[in-house]
Amino acid sequence: MSTIKVNIVTPDGPVYDSDVNMVIAVTTTGELGILPGHIPMVAPLEIGAVRLNKDSSTERVAVSGGFLEVRPDQVTILAQSAELAEDIDTARAIEAKKRAEQRLQQKQGDLDAKRAELALSRAMNRLDVAKGKI
């Protein structure tokens, strides 16, 4: 089966670099599946999981927004933050989720509420990816 090169990069450095059979990512317009030979494109990413199908296994990466660039032989993901499922500290993610929920209950302003909603989405995404739910 043919493969496509995938690079996931954050401001802190590279997170993932390997050949896979298929990439599935959540963009602002919905879920996108990419196979080798896909047409070139650029798409903004949502907070979500990037699934990387490799032979008979699936690797998961939690991303917090960014951009996806597709070329026929390579996919590059420039993410604000990204963590492999096995690298996620679930205790830290649970604490972040609790803090975000507390901030949402306090409702100190529209900006604070929006920031708390985003923090909650990021924490829940990290937990879901770590547990293999996505």
Side-chain angles (χ1 to χ4, degrees), residues 84-104:
L84 294 168
E86 59 267 16
D87 294 340
I88 295 173
D89 182 347
T90 54
R92 197 173 123 234
I94 290 168
E95 286 302 315
K97 181 180 177 221
K98 287 178 185 175
R99 281 193 308 274
E101 288 169 340
Q102 289 171 352
R103 277 190 249 141
L104 276 173

Side-chain angles (χ1 to χ4, degrees), residues 1-6 19-23 33-39 53 70-75:
M1 184 176 228
S2 59
T3 61
I4 189 166
K5 179 92 169 146
V6 177
D19 291 328
V20 302
N21 302 112
M22 183 177 188
V23 178
I34 302 157
L35 295 169
H38 196 285
I39 62 168
N53 295 345
V70 179
R71 288 184 264 151
D73 61 342
Q74 182 173 347
V75 174

